[in-house]
Amino acid sequence: AAPPGSGRHGPGAERPWPRFPDALRPFAPGPEGGGAAGLYRGRRCRMESCFDFALCRKNGFKVYVYPQQKGEKIAESYQNVLAAIEGSRFYTSDPSQACLFVLSLDTLDRDQLSPQYVHNLRSKVQSLHLWNNGRNHLIFNLYSGTWPDYTEDVGFDIGQAMLAKASISTENFRPNFDVSIPLFSKDHPRTGGEKGFLRFNTIPPLRKYMLVFKGKRYLTGIGSDTRNALYHVHNGEDVVLLTTCKHGKDWQKHKDSRCDRDNTEYEK
């Protein structure tokens, strides 16, 4: 059946909600996939099967952030994420008005060796009375697991929640449901700050550098193949890709023939 009001037109008419005629596709028989793909029971979730659009039809797109719980530590980087949401026009402090829910529990860093790691997250999430198996929730995550074998297990079953994650694998990424986000540092600035220096746009851009990257070159483990191949693209002129092998306490055990040269260039 068509959504209520979809047959009316003209000023003030209710905007018809998009229809999803192939809603059963996500549950079609198929392989479960390999690797870490079996970590989450909702790995076949899509918007049409695991998201309640009725909440959005009712009040529009409003985002609710759970109130911060006393005694819970939240890293500054996650506080910045929450502050950006709370400062937007989509924010609501009333969960009954919300279409999307964001946890106040810090899920950004799920490396068990990190000082930002939040313990007992599974029980804390399950105790939230609005959790509803993660339906209409968005989970933010940058790191999960520990170097060198980073897994994609954030330490609790996300259920039907959407995942906004950095470095998410193609095996686990759920198209049109999850959100791939860049990996940003812990000291990434908040929105605002000093006024920029842009005076006008020039097309094509008159810039000295087309591509710049500076970071650690993981000699082993997940991600090492990509970082180890960056030197093929580096030309030292308009494409500058600098990596260092100095990562972890035993990096010299895995040292290769390019490490000394790369470290020197990086430290310049």
Side-chain angles (χ1 to χ4, degrees):
S6 61
R8 292 186 287 138
H9 300 279
E14 183 178 335
R15 183 180 177 185
W17 196 260
R19 298 180 67 188
F20 300 94
D22 202 10
L24 294 180
R25 180 180 292 270
F27 297 102
E32 281 296 310
L39 285 171
Y40 305 120
R41 287 172 293 189
R43 67 174 304 266
R44 292 191 177 188
C45 273
R46 299 296 183 268
M47 294 297 291
E48 59 268 28
S49 59
C50 292
F51 192 89
D52 185 0
F53 287 98
L55 299 179
C56 307
R57 291 193 197 103
K58 183 179 178 183
N59 302 303
F61 185 72
K62 296 292 183 182
V63 185
Y64 173 77
V65 177
Y66 282 80
Q68 297 186 16
Q69 300 180 18
K70 188 175 181 179
E72 288 292 344
K73 61 180 181 181
I74 301 180
E76 185 178 357
S77 51
Y78 193 56
Q79 288 178 341
N80 291 345
V81 172
L82 299 183
I85 297 172
E86 292 170 347
S88 77
R89 60 188 175 91
F90 302 106
Y91 172 72
T92 178
S93 59
D94 182 356
S96 67
Q97 299 287 312
C99 167
L100 188 67
F101 299 82
V102 175
L103 301 180
S104 64
L105 295 165
D106 192 343
T107 57
L108 274 190
D109 192 342
R110 301 304 295 155
D111 181 345
Q112 294 187 36
L113 300 181
S114 170
Q116 276 79 41
Y117 183 81
V118 176
H119 294 272
N120 304 317
L121 196 55
R122 180 183 288 108
S123 60
K124 291 174 181 177
V125 170
Q126 294 296 333
S127 66
L128 299 172
H129 73 280
L130 295 172
W131 174 241
N132 192 26
N133 193 33
R135 201 166 179 86
N136 287 53
H137 281 66
L138 180 63
I139 308 296
F140 288 91
N141 177 249
L142 295 181
Y143 310 92
S144 51
T146 300
W147 184 87
D149 299 314
Y150 287 108
T151 67
E152 296 193 39
D153 183 3
V154 295
F156 67 100
D157 187 356
I158 63 173
Q160 297 182 349
M162 297 169 288
L163 194 60
K165 181 171 171 55
S167 304
I168 189 169
S169 70
T170 54
E171 289 180 348
N172 291 330
F173 182 77
R174 295 167 294 181
N176 302 318
F177 193 72
D178 290 330
V179 185
S180 179
I181 61 176
L183 180 65
F184 55 85
S185 66
K186 290 180 172 62
D187 56 356
H188 192 278
R190 292 181 59 173
T191 55
E194 296 294 325
K195 185 178 179 181
F197 296 101
L198 184 65
R199 296 289 181 267
F200 56 87
N201 285 326
T202 303
I203 299 176
L206 300 176
R207 294 178 178 172
K208 180 178 179 180
Y209 301 106
M210 183 178 73
L211 176 63
V212 175
F213 173 80
K214 186 176 183 182
K216 295 171 182 174
R217 178 155 72 85
Y218 305 119
L219 297 168
T220 59
I222 295 172
S224 59
D225 291 344
T226 303
R227 297 288 178 96
N228 289 337
L230 291 180
Y231 78 97
H232 289 293
V233 188
H234 170 80
N235 63 20
E237 296 176 2
D238 62 336
V239 177
V240 179
L241 303 176
L242 303 172
T243 59
T244 177
C245 296
K246 295 180 180 180
H247 180 59
K249 296 179 180 179
D250 59 348
W251 67 270
Q252 289 182 324
K253 294 180 181 179
H254 308 287
K255 187 176 176 182
D256 61 26
S257 60
R258 293 198 341 267
C259 276
D260 289 338
R261 182 172 67 253
D262 286 358
N263 290 348
T264 301
E265 287 292 308
Y266 179 91
E267 290 166 4
K268 285 182 181 178

